[in-house]
Amino acid sequence: MKETVFLTGAGSGIGKAIAKKLSADGYDLVLIGRRLNKLQETATEINRPSECLELDLSLGSQIVTDTVKSWIQDHSENQVIGLVNNAGQFLRSPFGDDQDDWDLLFQVNLMGPVNLTRALWPHFQKNREGRIVNISSNLGQTPVAGTSAYSALKAALDNFTKCLALEGGAFNIRVNSVAPGLVDTPIHDFHQKDDSGSLQLKAALHGMHPLSRMGQAEDIAGAVSYFLNPNNSWTTGAILNVDGGLSLTSKDP
Ligand SMILES: NC(=O)c1ccc[n+]([C@@H]2O[C@H](COP(=O)([O-])OP(=O)(O)OC[C@H]3O[C@@H](n4cnc5c(N)ncnc54)[C@H](OP(=O)(O)O)[C@@H]3O)[C@@H](O)[C@H]2O)c1
């Protein structure tokens, strides 16, 4: 049986680096995202079998469940052992102006992971094997102003991680979170819209970290690989800061 991992947001940034690392680790992958062309780019860059599933996680539980169930039915030769809930969006606006942020981020950043996990949970329970990694954020523990939706929902994701670690233990399902600091990915492209200040801002973002640099997507991929590795099978319910020390500082560029 081929050990297979579902990975969301695999077409860019952290997700693409996770796809490369996990394929090097020997897993087959199901790459999930909205932009099929980006997923296919990732698929051609990794040297193991992978499938691309075009799926908008904001569309709700039914479509997610149906998509996962039918994939598993059609691929009985694969043993799905893992799920990496990486897809997410970042929006920033003052509380009061942020109703749309809450609605969208609730569906994508929180219910996306919840719905995918729910779709795979019975499969993991039946097989007594499941490894789930949620990509949360440093902001889930120490927020900055203007990010109440993003930060509160990442905090909820970390709490979801801990609760599922408690419930999954009896079924050999391990659930952990990786909480990145600022990682240099397209999620920060909105900074580029700032006029000439954008380069200065980027320098400031690097400088906020005690290790004096923003993270690279590969920094996060290494942590995900650790949590999925069967040799690390006694770790569950952990929230691992991979953040260049950012969580030790007071921050806000
Ligand atoms: N970069 C950072 O500084 C940082 C820090 C802390 C946490 N994180 C977290 O890390 C994760 C990855 O972010 P990133 O930095 O790699 O950003 P990114 O390059 O913008 O990647 C985000 C991914 O999420 C997917 N996505 C967004 N909305 C989706 C939806 N409705 N349905 C399905 N897929 C969706 C996108 O793919 P499509 O557009 O193809 O759908 C994209 O591949 C996110 O959860 C983010 O909150 C990032």
Side-chain angles (χ1 to χ4, degrees):
M1 293 274 261
K2 304 168 192 169
E3 288 205 331
T4 302
V5 175
F6 276 58
L7 166 64
T8 67
S12 64
I14 292 170
K16 184 178 238 187
I18 294 172
K20 288 180 181 171
K21 176 65 180 147
L22 296 188
S23 67
D25 288 350
Y27 302 103
D28 287 358
L29 298 175
V30 180
L31 309 172
I32 297 173
R34 290 170 304 178
R35 291 171 296 170
L36 193 56
N37 62 323
K38 299 301 258 177
L39 298 175
Q40 286 165 341
E41 274 174 32
T42 300
T44 58
E45 288 177 38
I46 61 182
N47 56 2
R48 282 190 66 85
S50 60
E51 289 236 0
C52 302
L53 280 186
E54 192 177 356
L55 179 61
D56 183 340
L57 293 169
S58 70
L59 293 179
S61 64
Q62 196 60 52
I63 186 160
V64 171
T65 306
D66 291 349
T67 305
V68 169
K69 274 193 181 153
S70 75
W71 194 92
I72 288 176
Q73 268 168 13
D74 294 347
H75 297 81
S76 53
E77 73 282 12
N78 289 64
Q79 187 196 3
V80 181
I81 56 92
L83 166 64
V84 182
N85 285 309
N86 162 73
Q89 297 183 31
F90 178 78
L91 297 168
R92 184 171 189 166
S93 45
F95 186 69
D97 298 343
D98 60 348
Q99 186 59 51
D100 292 347
D101 295 10
W102 276 94
D103 293 343
L104 178 65
L105 296 185
F106 181 74
Q107 289 306 329
V108 178
N109 290 11
L110 184 61
M111 293 314 294
V114 170
N115 290 332
L116 259 179
T117 303
R118 187 185 281 126
L120 283 167
W121 194 255
H123 176 83
F124 291 156
Q125 283 182 313
K126 183 162 77 67
N127 294 339
R128 299 208 155 247
E129 169 76 87
R131 310 168 208 164
I132 300 171
V133 183
N134 295 319
I135 306 300
S136 62
S137 168
N138 188 269
L139 294 174
Q141 299 156 59
T142 47
V144 297
T147 66
S148 63
Y150 183 86
S151 296
L153 293 165
K154 289 295 190 182
L157 186 60
D158 281 343
N159 211 293
F160 180 60
T161 291
K162 292 180 194 173
C163 196
L164 286 198
L166 291 169
E167 294 192 31
F171 300 94
N172 191 33
I173 302 172
R174 296 189 290 109
V175 192
N176 294 286
S177 278
V178 178
L182 296 171
V183 182
D184 197 358
T185 73
I187 212 169
H188 295 288
D189 282 354
F190 71 95
H191 293 312
Q192 311 301 334
K193 290 180 190 146
D194 299 350
D195 39 278
S196 56
S198 90
L199 278 180
Q200 283 170 9
L201 180 58
K202 205 109 188 238
L205 295 180
H206 285 293
M208 287 165 62
H209 298 77
L211 283 176
S212 304
R213 67 169 176 91
M214 293 176 81
Q216 295 300 311
E218 292 72 21
D219 295 319
I220 310 306
V224 173
S225 167
Y226 171 88
F227 282 133
L228 286 179
N229 190 318
N231 293 328
N232 304 322
S233 61
W234 211 45
T235 310
T236 196
I239 314 296
L240 179 64
N241 292 322
V242 182
D243 65 357
L246 184 64
S247 49
L248 302 171
T249 70
S250 66
K251 56 187 182 203
D252 204 357

